Amino acid sequence: MNNKEENIEKFPKFMEWGIITKENFKSIIDIPLKRWDPLSTVEIKTKSFGLRKNKRYSGHFSYLSPIRASRPISIKEKSEKIDCSKKIHHIEDVFGTITEGKKMYDDKGEIIRDGKTIIITEDEKRRDNPFSFIPHKIEKIPDDCKAITLINRFPSMARVVDDEVMNEIQNNIPLNSKVSIGINLITISRHFYPALCLNNIPEDILAGIFSSMKAAILYSVEEAINRDYYDILVMPFFNIGRKVGGSQPRIHSQVYLDLNGDGHGSRLGGYLKAFKEMKTCHLCVTDHEDSRVVLKTEFWTFYATGSPIRNYHLRFYPHEHVRRFSNLKINQIIDLSRSLKIIFKALDDLGVESNRNIIFNCCPYGYDADFHLFGDIIPHEIIGGAEMADDMRVARKLPEENARELRNIINLDVS
Ligand SMILES: [Zn+2]
């Protein structure tokens, strides 16, 4: 039994911002774990996927993070009805205390939000070190800033762990598990814009979010390499709406940087293998039979994927053969922001479910793999049944038909 004084509130609390210290560590049961499924996991043998310093796997894994259950969920069912035409501050927005540099009190004068954070980038400017142990209150963010990138206060992976505690954990952890180490970034707009109205967010703000994410990824990867981490998986994504995991009403994106250096999930594994076996890059040569193309701009193509995992599942890719989100240049970022707004408006006009995920599929750092960055836009849909257990989906409509509907709306809008 530990003799820690449970009644004294420690700061930061266990696992806030992914911080584990002698002071806040209580029990091995709460440690975030990464666990591979032995029935769907194989060892990676190829030389091109990583540095091979230790055993690496491809297959299904889960991040287990008991502490995640305690994070604040700010969107309630009723508040999803947000008037997109107004730039209003939202009462349930937890990020306001951070951007305004103020604490928030309840009616009785008790602090409910302390405004503390670890800020990695302010627009593209570097601020706190991505491995910082010290959350703090920041000065009010300047009004002309577009977006800031923070360490997620309620992450699914540990980011920094005291050496002493790490030794204790390693000796007591369940077999076939490992402490899940990584950085969870969250990028928010400086001013409040509702997450569910992506097509109403100014283009330069959306571009600001992408630029701040990119700068924070580069800073985090650089610092991680300095600390001897290698084979770093980087997963940028948006969860837009509560039904797809977005717990906050303000527009925000996230990035998972997995620092476990032990391989990649089966979906990314499939992409890496497919690109490896292509004689020429499919995305560089294909025209998607034209009938599935939804929007083609100077820098990007959006199309309805031929084998959707949900109805209206769209894919998009930059015309330049780049491997990672962090390779994108400013003109590609601006064009992407403009295009995403057009696509989201068309989906809204068609009445497609407004809860959507945007996922960027990137080549991990340290991998010598030929890969072409691409993204997925996946509207929420309830699925159950046998699809959950297998890598197959049943879509109700032909992607060609989805693409035709979206093209018609986009053409009407621009003419
Ligand atoms: Zn390519």
Side-chain angles (χ1 to χ4, degrees):
M1 192 59 209
N2 70 50
N3 55 4
K4 293 187 172 67
E5 298 152 75
E6 307 271 343
N7 54 344
I8 297 175
E9 197 66 76
K10 301 294 181 195
F11 182 82
K13 287 184 202 154
F14 176 74
M15 267 304 282
E16 278 187 319
W17 297 282
I19 299 170
I20 302 178
T21 60
K22 287 197 292 290
E23 288 73 30
N24 69 20
F25 176 62
K26 283 185 200 154
S27 155
I28 198 95
I29 296 167
D30 294 327
I31 293 294
L33 300 175
K34 178 174 182 181
R35 206 181 272 157
W36 293 90
D37 174 10
L39 301 187
S40 67
T41 299
V42 293
E43 203 182 324
I44 299 171
K45 303 277 189 203
T46 170
K47 289 178 190 166
S48 44
F49 301 163
L51 285 174
R52 293 186 302 150
K53 280 197 190 172
N54 53 356
K55 279 201 175 175
R56 294 158 313 112
Y57 305 98
S58 177
H60 171 71
F61 65 81
S62 296
Y63 296 120
L64 309 168
S65 181
I67 208 76
R68 281 275 287 175
S70 65
R71 76 194 199 276
I73 307 288
S74 288
I75 303 183
K76 299 188 182 75
E77 243 13 295
K78 60 177 170 46
S79 62
E80 295 220 24
K81 300 262 175 284
I82 291 169
D83 182 351
C84 294
S85 62
K86 288 184 189 144
K87 195 182 104 179
I88 40 138
H89 188 76
H90 201 284
I91 190 75
E92 288 162 349
D93 172 38
V94 301
F95 297 117
T97 54
I98 293 170
T99 54
E100 301 305 325
K102 294 192 247 199
K103 291 176 185 156
M104 192 183 271
Y105 302 88
D106 66 10
D107 296 342
K108 294 177 198 138
E110 301 278 324
I111 295 176
I112 45 173
R113 285 170 198 155
D114 59 15
K116 290 189 175 163
T117 191
I118 296 175
I119 175 168
I120 305 305
T121 49
E122 176 185 323
D123 283 332
E124 286 140 86
K125 200 164 66 207
R126 293 181 177 190
R127 299 278 306 266
D128 295 329
N129 189 291
F131 289 89
S132 164
F133 271 92
I134 309 164
H136 58 99
K137 214 159 76 61
I138 53 176
E139 293 293 301
K140 181 177 187 285
I141 299 291
D143 274 341
D144 60 352
C145 169
K146 294 189 176 67
I148 57 175
T149 300
L150 314 168
I151 296 293
N152 193 331
R153 189 165 182 166
F154 302 95
S156 60
M157 298 176 241
R159 184 175 52 90
V160 281
V161 185
D162 265 359
D163 289 346
E164 205 177 302
V165 181
M166 192 53 135
N167 287 338
E168 189 180 334
I169 297 169
Q170 301 287 26
N171 294 332
N172 293 293
I173 206 163
L175 213 61
N176 297 327
S177 300
K178 63 195 297 182
V179 188
S180 163
I181 301 286
I183 301 175
N184 289 186
L185 299 172
I186 184 154
T187 304
I188 58 170
S189 55
R190 159 65 183 91
H191 296 286
F192 182 89
Y193 294 96
L196 279 174
C197 313
L198 190 133
N199 57 321
N200 272 36
I201 292 160
E203 189 181 305
D204 63 328
I205 301 294
L206 198 50
I209 288 175
F210 287 130
S211 298
S212 180
M213 275 167 94
K214 171 185 162 178
I217 291 170
L218 290 171
Y219 189 14
S220 301
V221 169
E222 206 177 294
E223 288 298 318
I225 290 169
N226 285 341
R227 283 164 176 75
D228 244 2
Y229 291 108
Y230 50 90
D231 297 350
I232 302 166
L233 305 184
V234 179
M235 292 161 273
F237 62 94
F238 286 70
N239 293 338
I240 299 171
R242 204 171 74 114
K243 292 181 203 159
V244 294
S247 57
Q248 299 301 325
R250 181 186 294 233
I251 181 76
H252 64 283
S253 64
Q254 299 187 61
V255 183
Y256 276 11
L257 289 103
D258 181 318
L259 299 177
N260 295 296
D262 61 351
H264 47 253
S266 39
R267 185 168 295 176
L268 181 59
Y271 301 147
L272 287 163
K273 249 198 205 148
F275 274 104
K276 190 179 163 72
E277 286 176 17
M278 285 172 206
K279 286 201 181 67
T280 47
C281 169
H282 178 70
L283 292 179
C284 284
V285 297
T286 183
D287 56 4
H288 303 288
E289 305 149 40
D290 284 340
S291 62
R292 285 191 282 115
V293 172
V294 174
L295 178 68
K296 201 165 193 161
T297 66
E298 187 182 355
F299 297 106
W300 295 83
T301 294
F302 290 72
Y303 67 99
T305 173
S307 34
I309 63 171
R310 298 280 198 283
N311 287 292
Y312 296 97
H313 173 189
L314 304 180
R315 281 217 161 127
F316 58 100
Y317 61 93
H319 298 153
E320 188 185 351
H321 183 89
V322 293
R323 297 198 294 170
R324 302 184 177 111
F325 178 88
S326 52
N327 296 130
L328 293 174
K329 300 179 193 77
I330 188 65
N331 49 5
Q332 291 164 317
I333 285 175
I334 291 169
D335 190 36
L336 173 63
S337 309
R338 188 180 306 143
S339 309
L340 273 175
K341 280 165 55 80
I342 294 171
I343 294 286
F344 267 57
K345 179 168 187 312
L347 289 168
D348 287 352
D349 288 354
L350 266 184
V352 175
E353 165 65 67
S354 59
N355 286 251
R356 297 165 197 155
N357 296 104
I358 306 176
I359 299 164
F360 290 89
N361 303 287
C362 309
C363 180
Y365 282 82
Y367 281 33
D368 181 26
D370 197 13
F371 191 83
H372 193 137
L373 166 74
F374 67 96
D376 290 294
I377 298 170
I378 309 174
H380 174 72
E381 210 170 54
I382 294 167
I383 56 162
E387 298 101 317
M388 293 301 291
D390 205 344
D391 196 11
M392 57 111 170
R393 293 289 181 266
V394 182
R396 289 185 307 271
K397 268 170 110 174
L398 271 185
E400 284 79 355
E401 182 57 18
N402 292 342
R404 192 189 56 78
E405 293 170 339
L406 288 166
R407 266 197 317 270
N408 286 346
I409 288 183
I410 291 168
N411 291 340
L412 272 180
D413 280 346
V414 295
S415 61

